[in-house]
Amino acid sequence: MIKEKSCGAVVYKIINNQYYFLIEKMKRGHFSIPKGHVEKEETELQTAYREIKEETNLDVIIDDSFRQVSTYSPYEGCLKDVVFFVAKTISDDIVNQECEVSDIYFYPFDKAYKILTHQSDKEVLLKAYLYLLMNNSKRIIIIGSPGSGKSYLSPYIANKTKIKLHHLDNMYWFGNWNHISTQELYDKVEEVMKDEKWIIDGHFASTIEQRISKADTIIYFNLPGITCVNGVKDRIKNHPIRDDMPSTCVETELDPVFENCMLNFRKNNNYKLQKFFKQYPSNLLTITSKKMLYTIVRYLKDGE
């Protein structure tokens, strides 16, 4: 078995307090992250620095606290390890390597993730983004349809960041499905946001702009409606008493109005949310599938 090794980095810069990631369009037509073969007696870091310089002309500072290895077989009888770090740019004079790179772009995470060709690169980019967010975010909101996985993910984020977690459902509901007024909820949220750091889990359209305007990080669950409906059915069956809800508020069946809300959530909410995202720019992570959610949870839980 032939063994090969390459090294590179997820390269980023910060524009208006948002992370933008470097994506290369290669001569062969695919979109990639800077990387290349280890030469002679080079260390992993030396290779990563050299490849970034050769492919982009950029000077960077590499953070080797983040180290991810992708292993695959490029051809029969060969096993290849690709080691990735995270690197911040310290120069702006981009010159693409003519023999390999057609063009170079900096995109916010969601666009960079979508445009990358290979799934292995997407996963490395996602983990690098999570690494940066978990180490630097102070004000995080987790929004999206009921049943999408917000309250499943939020404790992992709280544990990783050591920031206090607040569930809107616990603020809003009390007793046997009684609730406070919209104004009272607004006031409670405003009180929470006086702290320097916070995580707020929950959608609640009545306070969505209030929270988006103050957050530095938005985690948005944008899953198909039927996926969310199945998520609620699962929690009714297996988790009727939840940490994010008062113990006296127990779901026993799926209400048809609630089901319809989930099935039409994206149609009824996406346009307004996109307007808010543009009006109040911040770091945005859009979760579009359960597979993506579980990749995030594994990273947060295992500390990879």
Side-chain angles (χ1 to χ4, degrees):
M1 176 69 71
I2 299 172
K3 291 189 176 181
E4 295 182 357
K5 187 174 185 179
S6 290
C7 298
V10 176
V11 178
Y12 73 94
K13 64 180 176 179
I14 299 174
I15 304 174
N16 296 327
N17 297 317
Q18 298 176 75
Y19 295 108
Y20 280 70
F21 296 96
L22 187 149
I23 304 297
E24 298 176 332
K25 183 178 181 182
M26 310 305 290
K27 292 287 188 179
R28 288 175 290 176
H30 64 286
F31 292 86
S32 186
I33 298 170
K35 57 184 178 291
H37 287 92
V38 176
E39 294 182 357
K40 299 178 181 178
E41 301 300 318
E42 281 185 329
T43 66
E44 293 177 348
L45 285 174
Q46 286 171 338
T47 300
Y49 274 115
R50 176 180 54 75
E51 286 293 335
I52 293 167
K53 188 66 176 177
E54 288 179 356
E55 294 183 9
T56 71
N57 192 50
L58 290 172
D59 296 315
V60 300
I61 297 175
I62 290 179
D63 180 356
D64 61 355
S65 296
F66 176 89
R67 182 182 180 275
Q68 290 288 318
V69 183
S70 294
T71 302
Y72 66 98
S73 177
Y75 54 89
E76 188 175 352
C78 177
L79 197 63
K80 183 173 184 176
D81 287 338
V82 185
V83 179
F84 288 99
F85 303 102
V86 166
K88 182 179 181 180
T89 61
I90 54 173
S91 67
D92 292 315
D93 188 17
I94 296 176
V95 180
N96 53 294
Q97 187 179 31
E98 291 187 4
C99 61
E100 291 189 25
V101 182
S102 296
D103 214 337
I104 294 171
Y105 313 90
F106 275 96
Y107 289 136
F109 171 78
D110 281 357
K111 187 167 184 178
Y113 184 85
K114 183 180 293 186
I115 203 171
L116 282 171
T117 302
H118 299 298
Q119 185 60 37
S120 58
D121 283 351
K122 290 177 184 285
E123 187 164 316
V124 167
L125 176 65
L126 173 58
K127 291 179 178 180
Y129 191 38
L130 288 168
Y131 172 81
L132 293 169
L133 293 180
M134 295 304 102
N135 282 283
N136 298 293
S137 298
K138 294 182 178 181
R139 304 178 303 279
I140 304 170
I141 62 171
I142 305 166
I143 61 175
S145 171
S148 55
K150 300 186 301 298
S151 298
Y152 168 66
L153 175 61
S154 57
Y156 291 106
I157 294 175
N159 182 63
K160 193 74 172 180
T161 60
K162 309 304 178 189
I163 298 175
K164 186 175 180 180
L165 170 62
H166 304 268
H167 296 290
L168 289 183
D169 277 328
N170 267 330
M171 295 187 200
Y172 183 70
W173 298 101
F174 67 93
N176 186 22
W177 294 107
N178 295 303
H179 60 80
I180 62 177
S181 69
T182 298
Q183 183 60 50
E184 287 173 314
L185 178 62
Y186 184 96
D187 292 342
K188 282 191 172 187
V189 170
E190 202 67 23
E191 191 65 28
V192 166
M193 294 194 304
K194 288 180 181 178
D195 292 339
E196 181 185 3
K197 297 181 180 182
W198 37 261
I199 300 169
I200 302 177
D201 155 49
H203 197 79
F204 284 81
S206 62
T207 67
I208 196 74
E209 184 176 8
Q210 175 193 20
R211 287 171 283 130
I212 287 177
S213 67
K214 300 290 180 61
D216 60 34
T217 297
I218 301 169
I219 298 175
Y220 172 40
F221 280 78
N222 188 15
L223 274 62
I226 191 62
T227 301
C228 299
V229 169
N230 289 334
V232 170
K233 288 180 178 178
D234 177 73
R235 79 185 186 199
I236 290 172
K237 180 180 178 181
N238 299 304
H239 308 285
I241 298 177
R242 298 147 45 199
D243 291 339
D244 60 301
M245 290 281 287
S247 60
T248 53
C249 297
V250 180
E251 293 175 304
T252 57
E253 59 183 5
L254 179 57
D255 178 73
V257 175
F258 192 39
E259 180 177 6
N260 188 63
C261 168
M262 289 181 280
L263 291 174
N264 292 285
F265 184 89
R266 294 200 290 188
K267 181 178 72 174
N268 294 335
N269 290 273
N270 272 6
Y271 177 73
K272 182 179 290 187
L273 287 173
Q274 293 303 324
K275 284 181 63 177
F276 288 151
F277 296 158
K278 290 179 181 179
Q279 186 177 354
Y280 306 106
S282 61
N283 289 302
L284 175 65
L285 168 56
T286 303
I287 299 174
T288 55
S289 69
K290 289 291 186 180
K291 181 179 179 181
M292 188 177 182
L293 170 60
Y294 297 144
T295 298
I296 292 169
V297 169
R298 282 196 303 272
Y299 175 77
L300 297 178
K301 183 168 65 173
D302 299 336
E304 296 178 355

